[in-house]
Amino acid sequence: MVIATMAWMQSCSSENDDWIDDWYGENQQGQDVTPNNSTNGGTTAASGTLTSFTIDIDKTTAEPSSTSSEYFPEDEDNLDNNSFETEVSITFDGTSATYTAADGVTISTDGAHVVADHGSTKGICYNVSGNTSSGSLTIIGDKKYEVKLNGVTITNPDSTALNLLSSKRAYVVLASGTTNTLTDGSSSKADHKGALYCKGKLLFNGSGNLEVYGNYNNGIHCADYIVFRSGNNVYVKSTANHGIKANDGVFINGGIINVEVTAAAAKGINCESNIIVNGGRTTAIATGNGTYDSDDNEVKGAAGIKCDSTYTQNDGEVYLKATGSGGKGLKTDYEAYVTGGTLNVITEGGTYSSNNDSASPKGIKIGTKNVHGLLNISGGSIMVRTKGNGGEGIESKGTITISDGSVLVSALDDAINSANDMYIKGGDIVAVGTSNDGLDANGNMYIEGGNIVAFGASGAEAGIDVGEQSKLNISGGNIFGIGGRIDASIGSTTQGIASTSGSVSANSTVTISDSGNTLVTFTMPPYNYNNGTIMVSAPGMTSGSSYTLTLGSSSQTVTASTSVSGGMTGGGMQPGGGFPGGR
């Protein structure tokens, strides 16, 4: 795969390259995911970093490579298919600005506040440089245009720094080797939506750096959609609202995107439509607590990414962290599809409550009170850790389907929870609920493949928990579950299931063998568990046959059946160290 990059020159663009076919509608949503049974007899994914991985802003590490094609909602969004050869130079110098004129472009200045109007003139490129602490740039016009940020710093104490008021496409090019900074003030003489505001489509290009500081509202606000490309290095910080806000979509084809927000219920990236990640490295950290929204009459929490429609990740690296009460890592209202890439999430706050409503922290939350969400994981690597009261790792208000990839979750509450059915068809899954269940399906659970290790808390909690009126159906997969009890009624099964009790050590090895022939080897997550109720199953196990279950250095004989039984035990778990006493 050749990664598409551009060596941006200091003049305006004139290249025209071949168009990359649109794959999104054909290949992503509604796909038929078949079971991945290739992991039978394998080991679970390594999960030693589950309790220790961190998420921080990283502006300097090289952008990861991507094998996904770029996605543009429309062909015209690709700068490579356009030409902007008429250059207008604008240079800021303290309290003033100078410019070079071009036919069809009208420019007016008021100190360092510049307004450029290209009307119906085509092919205009604004080449912007210089510095001002009391200025702004506003662009108006009826045709698409390019804005080359060529080493410019604009601070507007009163309003927006870069105000792109044309409803047409704005191709913002970050000139190679330059750093560009846009800042608004914390108070405004005129209400505004962002330090960088775009009325039309906002299309980032180039390999330079852009830093945006929003002190009054959002950092970047686009009334249409935003596209990022490989080479972009964008840092956004908002102390008042969201970091990056888009009405009609956010499409990350590459680049290094870093976002920090500190306000109550603020989102690092907030989109009212779809978000697609095809490459790059995106980090969003939200530190604000929850708040009560009197307009919507509900409590809201902060989030790394909030998507009102569908989130899709095909490649790239995404790192999300929320530290305040009621915070979410990734929250999407309808559907989420992860087919590849890396998605790491940390939440650290507890539950936020106000006016008889509350918001619990979640690593990944799909759906709302009124919308049955859908989560489909068919590849990639996902790691989630949540702390704080009510902190679930992954929650869907509808169904969850995992057919491939690595999914490692440690949560104070349920590790992976579906309000309806849960389907596991493949992949490596480690689900640790330190105070609740590991895997919790409030509908039926169907295990057809994959390697599964599920830890639940002691007492009434379970490694695998299925709804009271629902069934656990097993037709494949290597399964190790441990908890205070087994809370699942078996429906149909094509392989034997054994239940017993025992203890496991953090990062130890568990095996199931038949007359010396190892059927499956599991690697335990970084938690010790003392005196738990255990359920195991693997292809090759048959009802009525006996097997050797080896838990670290101890072994016992277990007999497979087509049902399970297991009352409450008095042990529990903790990260590393020795076994704890009863809980």
Side-chain angles (χ1 to χ4, degrees), residues 322-355:
T323 64
S325 56
K328 313 290 190 296
L330 168 64
K331 184 179 187 299
T332 181
D333 288 352
Y334 283 88
E335 301 175 352
Y337 298 85
V338 179
T339 71
T342 298
L343 174 58
N344 286 1
V345 178
I346 295 174
T347 67
E348 297 180 343
T351 298
Y352 179 84
S353 300
S354 179
N355 293 63

PDB file of all heavy atoms in Angstrom, residues 322-355:
ATOM      1  N   ALA A 322     -11.065  10.403  29.345  1.00  0.00           N
ATOM      2  CA  ALA A 322     -11.961  11.313  30.056  1.00  0.00           C
ATOM      3  C   ALA A 322     -11.727  11.125  31.543  1.00  0.00           C
ATOM      4  O   ALA A 322     -11.830  10.003  32.056  1.00  0.00           O
ATOM      5  CB  ALA A 322     -13.422  11.033  29.702  1.00  0.00           C
ATOM      6  N   THR A 323     -11.384  12.197  32.246  1.00  0.00           N
ATOM      7  CA  THR A 323     -11.022  12.092  33.656  1.00  0.00           C
ATOM      8  C   THR A 323     -12.092  12.621  34.598  1.00  0.00           C
ATOM      9  O   THR A 323     -12.033  12.357  35.795  1.00  0.00           O
ATOM     10  CB  THR A 323      -9.710  12.840  33.931  1.00  0.00           C
ATOM     11  OG1 THR A 323      -9.897  14.241  33.676  1.00  0.00           O
ATOM     12  CG2 THR A 323      -8.588  12.321  33.043  1.00  0.00           C
ATOM     13  N   GLY A 324     -13.069  13.366  34.098  1.00  0.00           N
ATOM     14  CA  GLY A 324     -14.081  13.967  34.957  1.00  0.00           C
ATOM     15  C   GLY A 324     -15.245  13.039  35.236  1.00  0.00           C
ATOM     16  O   GLY A 324     -15.381  11.958  34.642  1.00  0.00           O
ATOM     17  N   SER A 325     -16.123  13.443  36.138  1.00  0.00           N
ATOM     18  CA  SER A 325     -17.289  12.645  36.503  1.00  0.00           C
ATOM     19  C   SER A 325     -18.235  12.516  35.311  1.00  0.00           C
ATOM     20  O   SER A 325     -18.493  13.476  34.589  1.00  0.00           O
ATOM     21  CB  SER A 325     -18.022  13.292  37.681  1.00  0.00           C
ATOM     22  OG  SER A 325     -18.387  14.629  37.379  1.00  0.00           O
ATOM     23  N   GLY A 326     -18.753  11.298  35.100  1.00  0.00           N
ATOM     24  CA  GLY A 326     -19.689  11.056  34.011  1.00  0.00           C
ATOM     25  C   GLY A 326     -19.068  11.034  32.636  1.00  0.00           C
ATOM     26  O   GLY A 326     -19.781  11.047  31.626  1.00  0.00           O
ATOM     27  N   GLY A 327     -17.747  10.973  32.545  1.00  0.00           N
ATOM     28  CA  GLY A 327     -17.059  11.079  31.260  1.00  0.00           C
ATOM     29  C   GLY A 327     -17.100   9.795  30.447  1.00  0.00           C
ATOM     30  O   GLY A 327     -17.196   8.695  30.973  1.00  0.00           O
ATOM     31  N   LYS A 328     -17.020   9.945  29.135  1.00  0.00           N
ATOM     32  CA  LYS A 328     -16.980   8.826  28.190  1.00  0.00           C
ATOM     33  C   LYS A 328     -15.713   8.944  27.339  1.00  0.00           C
ATOM     34  O   LYS A 328     -15.261  10.049  27.036  1.00  0.00           O
ATOM     35  CB  LYS A 328     -18.202   8.833  27.264  1.00  0.00           C
ATOM     36  CG  LYS A 328     -19.557   9.030  27.952  1.00  0.00           C
ATOM     37  CD  LYS A 328     -19.963   7.838  28.759  1.00  0.00           C
ATOM     38  CE  LYS A 328     -21.411   7.937  29.235  1.00  0.00           C
ATOM     39  NZ  LYS A 328     -21.675   9.057  30.167  1.00  0.00           N
ATOM     40  N   GLY A 329     -15.192   7.804  26.913  1.00  0.00           N
ATOM     41  CA  GLY A 329     -14.116   7.835  25.928  1.00  0.00           C
ATOM     42  C   GLY A 329     -14.690   8.068  24.550  1.00  0.00           C
ATOM     43  O   GLY A 329     -14.492   9.110  23.938  1.00  0.00           O
ATOM     44  N   LEU A 330     -15.447   7.074  24.054  1.00  0.00           N
ATOM     45  CA  LEU A 330     -16.154   7.170  22.771  1.00  0.00           C
ATOM     46  C   LEU A 330     -17.635   7.004  23.036  1.00  0.00           C
ATOM     47  O   LEU A 330     -18.054   6.013  23.637  1.00  0.00           O
ATOM     48  CB  LEU A 330     -15.670   6.081  21.808  1.00  0.00           C
ATOM     49  CG  LEU A 330     -16.501   5.879  20.535  1.00  0.00           C
ATOM     50  CD1 LEU A 330     -16.463   7.120  19.655  1.00  0.00           C
ATOM     51  CD2 LEU A 330     -16.025   4.652  19.762  1.00  0.00           C
ATOM     52  N   LYS A 331     -18.431   7.961  22.584  1.00  0.00           N
ATOM     53  CA  LYS A 331     -19.880   7.875  22.725  1.00  0.00           C
ATOM     54  C   LYS A 331     -20.512   8.144  21.370  1.00  0.00           C
ATOM     55  O   LYS A 331     -20.267   9.186  20.761  1.00  0.00           O
ATOM     56  CB  LYS A 331     -20.412   8.878  23.747  1.00  0.00           C
ATOM     57  CG  LYS A 331     -21.916   8.769  23.993  1.00  0.00           C
ATOM     58  CD  LYS A 331     -22.386   9.776  25.040  1.00  0.00           C
ATOM     59  CE  LYS A 331     -23.859   9.547  25.395  1.00  0.00           C
ATOM     60  NZ  LYS A 331     -24.765   9.703  24.244  1.00  0.00           N
ATOM     61  N   THR A 332     -21.285   7.179  20.879  1.00  0.00           N
ATOM     62  CA  THR A 332     -21.999   7.379  19.624  1.00  0.00           C
ATOM     63  C   THR A 332     -23.445   6.966  19.810  1.00  0.00           C
ATOM     64  O   THR A 332     -23.747   6.001  20.508  1.00  0.00           O
ATOM     65  CB  THR A 332     -21.340   6.586  18.472  1.00  0.00           C
ATOM     66  OG1 THR A 332     -22.054   6.820  17.263  1.00  0.00           O
ATOM     67  CG2 THR A 332     -21.294   5.109  18.759  1.00  0.00           C
ATOM     68  N   ASP A 333     -24.356   7.701  19.210  1.00  0.00           N
ATOM     69  CA  ASP A 333     -25.781   7.520  19.496  1.00  0.00           C
ATOM     70  C   ASP A 333     -26.410   6.346  18.765  1.00  0.00           C
ATOM     71  O   ASP A 333     -27.425   5.821  19.213  1.00  0.00           O
ATOM     72  CB  ASP A 333     -26.557   8.796  19.138  1.00  0.00           C
ATOM     73  CG  ASP A 333     -26.296   9.925  20.117  1.00  0.00           C
ATOM     74  OD1 ASP A 333     -25.641   9.666  21.140  1.00  0.00           O
ATOM     75  OD2 ASP A 333     -26.739  11.064  19.863  1.00  0.00           O
ATOM     76  N   TYR A 334     -25.845   5.925  17.637  1.00  0.00           N
ATOM     77  CA  TYR A 334     -26.497   4.878  16.847  1.00  0.00           C
ATOM     78  C   TYR A 334     -25.638   3.630  16.671  1.00  0.00           C
ATOM     79  O   TYR A 334     -25.930   2.584  17.234  1.00  0.00           O
ATOM     80  CB  TYR A 334     -26.932   5.435  15.484  1.00  0.00           C
ATOM     81  CG  TYR A 334     -28.175   6.277  15.578  1.00  0.00           C
ATOM     82  CD1 TYR A 334     -28.100   7.640  15.846  1.00  0.00           C
ATOM     83  CD2 TYR A 334     -29.436   5.706  15.425  1.00  0.00           C
ATOM     84  CE1 TYR A 334     -29.254   8.413  15.962  1.00  0.00           C
ATOM     85  CE2 TYR A 334     -30.592   6.467  15.539  1.00  0.00           C
ATOM     86  CZ  TYR A 334     -30.494   7.818  15.794  1.00  0.00           C
ATOM     87  OH  TYR A 334     -31.632   8.579  15.923  1.00  0.00           O
ATOM     88  N   GLU A 335     -24.563   3.699  15.898  1.00  0.00           N
ATOM     89  CA  GLU A 335     -23.805   2.505  15.557  1.00  0.00           C
ATOM     90  C   GLU A 335     -22.310   2.795  15.598  1.00  0.00           C
ATOM     91  O   GLU A 335     -21.880   3.941  15.421  1.00  0.00           O
ATOM     92  CB  GLU A 335     -24.185   2.001  14.161  1.00  0.00           C
ATOM     93  CG  GLU A 335     -25.659   1.648  14.005  1.00  0.00           C
ATOM     94  CD  GLU A 335     -26.017   1.270  12.577  1.00  0.00           C
ATOM     95  OE1 GLU A 335     -25.151   1.434  11.694  1.00  0.00           O
ATOM     96  OE2 GLU A 335     -27.147   0.829  12.347  1.00  0.00           O
ATOM     97  N   ALA A 336     -21.541   1.733  15.805  1.00  0.00           N
ATOM     98  CA  ALA A 336     -20.083   1.835  15.714  1.00  0.00           C
ATOM     99  C   ALA A 336     -19.540   0.580  15.059  1.00  0.00           C
ATOM    100  O   ALA A 336     -19.970  -0.537  15.383  1.00  0.00           O
ATOM    101  CB  ALA A 336     -19.458   2.030  17.093  1.00  0.00           C
ATOM    102  N   TYR A 337     -18.612   0.766  14.116  1.00  0.00           N
ATOM    103  CA  TYR A 337     -17.958  -0.328  13.404  1.00  0.00           C
ATOM    104  C   TYR A 337     -16.450  -0.149  13.544  1.00  0.00           C
ATOM    105  O   TYR A 337     -15.911   0.893  13.173  1.00  0.00           O
ATOM    106  CB  TYR A 337     -18.324  -0.319  11.922  1.00  0.00           C
ATOM    107  CG  TYR A 337     -19.794  -0.526  11.655  1.00  0.00           C
ATOM    108  CD1 TYR A 337     -20.680   0.550  11.674  1.00  0.00           C
ATOM    109  CD2 TYR A 337     -20.303  -1.789  11.388  1.00  0.00           C
ATOM    110  CE1 TYR A 337     -22.036   0.374  11.439  1.00  0.00           C
ATOM    111  CE2 TYR A 337     -21.651  -1.979  11.146  1.00  0.00           C
ATOM    112  CZ  TYR A 337     -22.519  -0.900  11.172  1.00  0.00           C
ATOM    113  OH  TYR A 337     -23.855  -1.088  10.941  1.00  0.00           O
ATOM    114  N   VAL A 338     -15.773  -1.157  14.092  1.00  0.00           N
ATOM    115  CA  VAL A 338     -14.313  -1.148  14.163  1.00  0.00           C
ATOM    116  C   VAL A 338     -13.819  -2.333  13.349  1.00  0.00           C
ATOM    117  O   VAL A 338     -14.051  -3.489  13.711  1.00  0.00           O
ATOM    118  CB  VAL A 338     -13.813  -1.235  15.613  1.00  0.00           C
ATOM    119  CG1 VAL A 338     -12.289  -1.242  15.640  1.00  0.00           C
ATOM    120  CG2 VAL A 338     -14.350  -0.070  16.446  1.00  0.00           C
ATOM    121  N   THR A 339     -13.162  -2.044  12.232  1.00  0.00           N
ATOM    122  CA  THR A 339     -12.666  -3.093  11.342  1.00  0.00           C
ATOM    123  C   THR A 339     -11.151  -3.221  11.384  1.00  0.00           C
ATOM    124  O   THR A 339     -10.601  -4.195  10.875  1.00  0.00           O
ATOM    125  CB  THR A 339     -13.109  -2.827   9.898  1.00  0.00           C
ATOM    126  OG1 THR A 339     -12.388  -1.702   9.380  1.00  0.00           O
ATOM    127  CG2 THR A 339     -14.595  -2.544   9.812  1.00  0.00           C
ATOM    128  N   GLY A 340     -10.459  -2.228  11.953  1.00  0.00           N
ATOM    129  CA  GLY A 340      -9.008  -2.256  12.010  1.00  0.00           C
ATOM    130  C   GLY A 340      -8.481  -1.104  12.833  1.00  0.00           C
ATOM    131  O   GLY A 340      -9.237  -0.290  13.365  1.00  0.00           O
ATOM    132  N   GLY A 341      -7.151  -1.029  12.941  1.00  0.00           N
ATOM    133  CA  GLY A 341      -6.538   0.055  13.682  1.00  0.00           C
ATOM    134  C   GLY A 341      -6.470  -0.218  15.169  1.00  0.00           C
ATOM    135  O   GLY A 341      -6.734  -1.325  15.654  1.00  0.00           O
ATOM    136  N   THR A 342      -6.121   0.819  15.922  1.00  0.00           N
ATOM    137  CA  THR A 342      -5.985   0.760  17.378  1.00  0.00           C
ATOM    138  C   THR A 342      -6.934   1.754  18.019  1.00  0.00           C
ATOM    139  O   THR A 342      -6.987   2.921  17.608  1.00  0.00           O
ATOM    140  CB  THR A 342      -4.542   1.087  17.811  1.00  0.00           C
ATOM    141  OG1 THR A 342      -3.652   0.111  17.250  1.00  0.00           O
ATOM    142  CG2 THR A 342      -4.401   1.098  19.318  1.00  0.00           C
ATOM    143  N   LEU A 343      -7.658   1.301  19.026  1.00  0.00           N
ATOM    144  CA  LEU A 343      -8.570   2.170  19.772  1.00  0.00           C
ATOM    145  C   LEU A 343      -8.342   1.914  21.261  1.00  0.00           C
ATOM    146  O   LEU A 343      -8.715   0.856  21.777  1.00  0.00           O
ATOM    147  CB  LEU A 343     -10.028   1.897  19.386  1.00  0.00           C
ATOM    148  CG  LEU A 343     -11.119   2.628  20.190  1.00  0.00           C
ATOM    149  CD1 LEU A 343     -10.943   4.137  20.104  1.00  0.00           C
ATOM    150  CD2 LEU A 343     -12.508   2.220  19.717  1.00  0.00           C
ATOM    151  N   ASN A 344      -7.691   2.853  21.929  1.00  0.00           N
ATOM    152  CA  ASN A 344      -7.421   2.745  23.364  1.00  0.00           C
ATOM    153  C   ASN A 344      -8.203   3.820  24.114  1.00  0.00           C
ATOM    154  O   ASN A 344      -8.216   4.984  23.698  1.00  0.00           O
ATOM    155  CB  ASN A 344      -5.934   2.907  23.662  1.00  0.00           C
ATOM    156  CG  ASN A 344      -5.131   1.691  23.261  1.00  0.00           C
ATOM    157  OD1 ASN A 344      -5.664   0.715  22.743  1.00  0.00           O
ATOM    158  ND2 ASN A 344      -3.831   1.736  23.501  1.00  0.00           N
ATOM    159  N   VAL A 345      -8.810   3.428  25.254  1.00  0.00           N
ATOM    160  CA  VAL A 345      -9.694   4.332  25.991  1.00  0.00           C
ATOM    161  C   VAL A 345      -9.427   4.210  27.487  1.00  0.00           C
ATOM    162  O   VAL A 345      -9.290   3.099  28.014  1.00  0.00           O
ATOM    163  CB  VAL A 345     -11.174   4.014  25.718  1.00  0.00           C
ATOM    164  CG1 VAL A 345     -12.081   4.931  26.528  1.00  0.00           C
ATOM    165  CG2 VAL A 345     -11.495   4.126  24.226  1.00  0.00           C
ATOM    166  N   ILE A 346      -9.397   5.353  28.167  1.00  0.00           N
ATOM    167  CA  ILE A 346      -9.317   5.396  29.622  1.00  0.00           C
ATOM    168  C   ILE A 346     -10.366   6.375  30.143  1.00  0.00           C
ATOM    169  O   ILE A 346     -10.480   7.492  29.633  1.00  0.00           O
ATOM    170  CB  ILE A 346      -7.927   5.855  30.111  1.00  0.00           C
ATOM    171  CG1 ILE A 346      -6.843   4.844  29.727  1.00  0.00           C
ATOM    172  CG2 ILE A 346      -7.915   6.079  31.622  1.00  0.00           C
ATOM    173  CD1 ILE A 346      -5.434   5.308  30.059  1.00  0.00           C
ATOM    174  N   THR A 347     -11.141   5.963  31.152  1.00  0.00           N
ATOM    175  CA  THR A 347     -11.963   6.916  31.915  1.00  0.00           C
ATOM    176  C   THR A 347     -11.620   6.747  33.381  1.00  0.00           C
ATOM    177  O   THR A 347     -11.376   5.642  33.853  1.00  0.00           O
ATOM    178  CB  THR A 347     -13.474   6.707  31.696  1.00  0.00           C
ATOM    179  OG1 THR A 347     -13.870   5.458  32.254  1.00  0.00           O
ATOM    180  CG2 THR A 347     -13.816   6.743  30.224  1.00  0.00           C
ATOM    181  N   GLU A 348     -11.625   7.878  34.107  1.00  0.00           N
ATOM    182  CA  GLU A 348     -11.169   7.852  35.490  1.00  0.00           C
ATOM    183  C   GLU A 348     -12.162   8.441  36.477  1.00  0.00           C
ATOM    184  O   GLU A 348     -11.994   8.283  37.687  1.00  0.00           O
ATOM    185  CB  GLU A 348      -9.832   8.586  35.610  1.00  0.00           C
ATOM    186  CG  GLU A 348      -8.702   7.921  34.820  1.00  0.00           C
ATOM    187  CD  GLU A 348      -7.380   8.644  34.936  1.00  0.00           C
ATOM    188  OE1 GLU A 348      -7.394   9.832  35.351  1.00  0.00           O
ATOM    189  OE2 GLU A 348      -6.339   8.041  34.631  1.00  0.00           O
ATOM    190  N   GLY A 349     -13.177   9.135  36.014  1.00  0.00           N
ATOM    191  CA  GLY A 349     -14.119   9.771  36.919  1.00  0.00           C
ATOM    192  C   GLY A 349     -15.214   8.828  37.380  1.00  0.00           C
ATOM    193  O   GLY A 349     -15.364   7.715  36.881  1.00  0.00           O
ATOM    194  N   GLY A 350     -16.010   9.289  38.336  1.00  0.00           N
ATOM    195  CA  GLY A 350     -17.148   8.529  38.832  1.00  0.00           C
ATOM    196  C   GLY A 350     -18.438   9.001  38.192  1.00  0.00           C
ATOM    197  O   GLY A 350     -18.450   9.657  37.155  1.00  0.00           O
ATOM    198  N   THR A 351     -19.558   8.686  38.809  1.00  0.00           N
ATOM    199  CA  THR A 351     -20.872   9.070  38.309  1.00  0.00           C
ATOM    200  C   THR A 351     -21.181  10.517  38.674  1.00  0.00           C
ATOM    201  O   THR A 351     -20.886  10.962  39.789  1.00  0.00           O
ATOM    202  CB  THR A 351     -21.952   8.143  38.897  1.00  0.00           C
ATOM    203  OG1 THR A 351     -21.696   6.810  38.459  1.00  0.00           O
ATOM    204  CG2 THR A 351     -23.344   8.561  38.439  1.00  0.00           C
ATOM    205  N   TYR A 352     -21.771  11.241  37.735  1.00  0.00           N
ATOM    206  CA  TYR A 352     -22.221  12.610  38.002  1.00  0.00           C
ATOM    207  C   TYR A 352     -23.733  12.611  38.123  1.00  0.00           C
ATOM    208  O   TYR A 352     -24.434  12.076  37.250  1.00  0.00           O
ATOM    209  CB  TYR A 352     -21.794  13.561  36.879  1.00  0.00           C
ATOM    210  CG  TYR A 352     -22.263  14.986  37.119  1.00  0.00           C
ATOM    211  CD1 TYR A 352     -21.525  15.852  37.920  1.00  0.00           C
ATOM    212  CD2 TYR A 352     -23.457  15.451  36.568  1.00  0.00           C
ATOM    213  CE1 TYR A 352     -21.953  17.149  38.160  1.00  0.00           C
ATOM    214  CE2 TYR A 352     -23.892  16.752  36.807  1.00  0.00           C
ATOM    215  CZ  TYR A 352     -23.140  17.598  37.603  1.00  0.00           C
ATOM    216  OH  TYR A 352     -23.577  18.869  37.850  1.00  0.00           O
ATOM    217  N   SER A 353     -24.267  13.202  39.191  1.00  0.00           N
ATOM    218  CA  SER A 353     -25.712  13.221  39.434  1.00  0.00           C
ATOM    219  C   SER A 353     -26.189  14.642  39.699  1.00  0.00           C
ATOM    220  O   SER A 353     -25.501  15.426  40.368  1.00  0.00           O
ATOM    221  CB  SER A 353     -26.073  12.333  40.638  1.00  0.00           C
ATOM    222  OG  SER A 353     -25.688  11.000  40.414  1.00  0.00           O
ATOM    223  N   SER A 354     -27.376  14.957  39.155  1.00  0.00           N
ATOM    224  CA  SER A 354     -27.984  16.262  39.370  1.00  0.00           C
ATOM    225  C   SER A 354     -29.437  16.202  38.939  1.00  0.00           C
ATOM    226  O   SER A 354     -29.764  15.551  37.945  1.00  0.00           O
ATOM    227  CB  SER A 354     -27.236  17.352  38.573  1.00  0.00           C
ATOM    228  OG  SER A 354     -27.839  18.613  38.750  1.00  0.00           O
ATOM    229  N   ASN A 355     -30.333  16.852  39.675  1.00  0.00           N
ATOM    230  CA  ASN A 355     -31.739  16.968  39.312  1.00  0.00           C
ATOM    231  C   ASN A 355     -32.374  15.609  38.989  1.00  0.00           C
ATOM    232  O   ASN A 355     -33.071  15.451  37.989  1.00  0.00           O
ATOM    233  CB  ASN A 355     -31.918  17.916  38.114  1.00  0.00           C
ATOM    234  CG  ASN A 355     -31.577  19.347  38.458  1.00  0.00           C
ATOM    235  OD1 ASN A 355     -30.437  19.648  38.798  1.00  0.00           O
ATOM    236  ND2 ASN A 355     -32.542  20.239  38.380  1.00  0.00           N
TER     237      ASN A 355
END
